[in-house]
């Protein structure tokens, strides 16, 4: 059964085969978790939302008509679940803050292979830039560059015209480049100040000891 296509598994799930549902979840759970984790930056919340996505998937599967790829339909479900969560967090800012703080203390041993794709320092810089971007721009960069989906697949997931995808992606790239430059300049400025302060201290120490 593991070798069956998604469409074959879906047919069996509709017939009440629970094992087919388990296989479908195992096949795509890392895919969905990674999307949510990159957006949220907090492992436990991403895991909870991923579980919610697959519960919804089972509930809404009868509505899947095969007019788009299953993965496209599943992505749309994940994005909608993420959007609903963020709306709820606007009413619970303290919970959102706690989630962010918890993520700072995540042990490297808890990281999945997907989380180690980028060098640690570079990953932090990229996440810092992405966190400053508008949500619709951040999501489209994730879908196009990290998930390598086509314009049509992204359009289906976000339920927008392809022209909107093209425009949004162009603006997202511009915003990312601008923010990336700002972060790099800011870090270089800080490093320069630290270097100057250290040099001055050494000179004062040398002068006082002579």
């Amino acid at each position: 059964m593991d070798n069956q296509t998604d469409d074959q598994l879906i047919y069996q799930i509709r017939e009440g085969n629970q094992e087919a549902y388990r296989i479908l979840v195992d096949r795509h759970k890392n895919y969905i978790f990674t999307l949510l984790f990159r957006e949220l930056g907090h492992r436990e919340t991403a895991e909870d939302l991923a579980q919610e996505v697959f519960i919804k998937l089972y509930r809404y599967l009868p509505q899947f008509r095969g007019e788009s790829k299953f993965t496209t339909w599943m992505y749309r479900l994940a994005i909608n679940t993420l959007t609903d969560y963020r709306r709820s967090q606007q009413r619970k800012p303290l919970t959102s803050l706690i989630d962010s703080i918890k993520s700072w203390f995540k042990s490297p041993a808890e990281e999945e292979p997907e989380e180690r794709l980028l060098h640690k320092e570079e990953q932090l810089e990229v996440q810092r830039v992405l966190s400053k971007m508008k949500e619709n721009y951040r999501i489209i960069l994730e879908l196009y560059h990290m998930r390598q989906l086509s314009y049509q697949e992204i359009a289906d997931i976000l339920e927008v015209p392809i022209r909107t995808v093209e425009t949004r992606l162009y603006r997202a790239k511009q915003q990312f480049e601008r923010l990336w430059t700002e972060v790099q300049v800011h870090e270089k400025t800080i490093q320069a100040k630290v270097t100057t302060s250290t040099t001055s201290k050494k000179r004062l120490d040398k002068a006082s000891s002579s």
Side-chain angles (χ1 to χ4, degrees), residues 117-132:
L117 290 177
L118 296 175
H119 187 275
K120 187 65 176 179
E121 291 184 3
E122 184 181 56
Q123 184 181 16
L124 290 174
E125 290 180 357
V126 169
Q127 291 298 331
R128 193 178 302 125
V129 172
L130 290 174
S131 69
K132 296 175 181 293

Side-chain angles (χ1 to χ4, degrees), residues 18-118:
Q18 294 296 316
E19 179 64 12
Y21 173 68
R22 183 194 65 77
I23 293 173
L24 192 69
V25 171
D26 286 345
R27 182 177 295 176
H28 297 290
K29 63 182 180 182
N30 289 338
Y31 204 51
I32 294 300
F33 167 78
T34 303
L35 168 65
L36 296 171
F37 180 81
R38 286 186 181 278
E39 285 297 313
L40 297 168
H42 183 243
R43 182 184 181 83
E44 292 178 5
T45 304
E47 288 176 342
D48 290 343
L49 286 188
Q51 184 176 8
E52 184 177 341
V53 168
F54 285 108
I55 291 174
K56 289 181 177 179
L57 184 148
Y58 186 80
R59 183 187 308 157
Y60 298 135
L61 202 55
Q63 301 178 18
F64 176 62
R65 303 302 179 190
E67 296 173 354
S68 62
K69 290 174 59 177
F70 169 71
T71 50
T72 299
W73 181 79
M74 181 178 60
Y75 252 119
R76 187 186 305 151
L77 192 62
I79 294 298
N80 290 341
T81 301
L82 176 63
T83 300
D84 291 342
Y85 170 78
R86 282 188 164 140
R87 285 172 180 167
S88 71
Q89 292 309 294
Q90 290 176 0
R91 298 188 293 272
K92 297 186 294 185
L94 180 58
T95 303
S96 182
L97 176 61
I98 291 174
D99 278 356
S100 296
I101 293 174
K102 283 181 178 179
S103 69
W104 300 345
F105 298 95
K106 180 164 59 66
S107 168
E110 297 176 358
E111 293 185 340
E112 297 291 335
E114 292 85 356
E115 300 168 37
R116 298 196 294 267
L117 290 177
L118 296 175

Side-chain angles (χ1 to χ4, degrees), residues 4 9 30 40 45 58 62 90 132 137 159 170 173 175:
Q4 293 184 352
L9 291 173
N30 289 338
L40 297 168
T45 304
Y58 186 80
Q90 290 176 0
K132 296 175 181 293
Y137 290 167
E159 298 180 307
Y170 174 75
K173 289 178 179 178
Q175 187 179 71

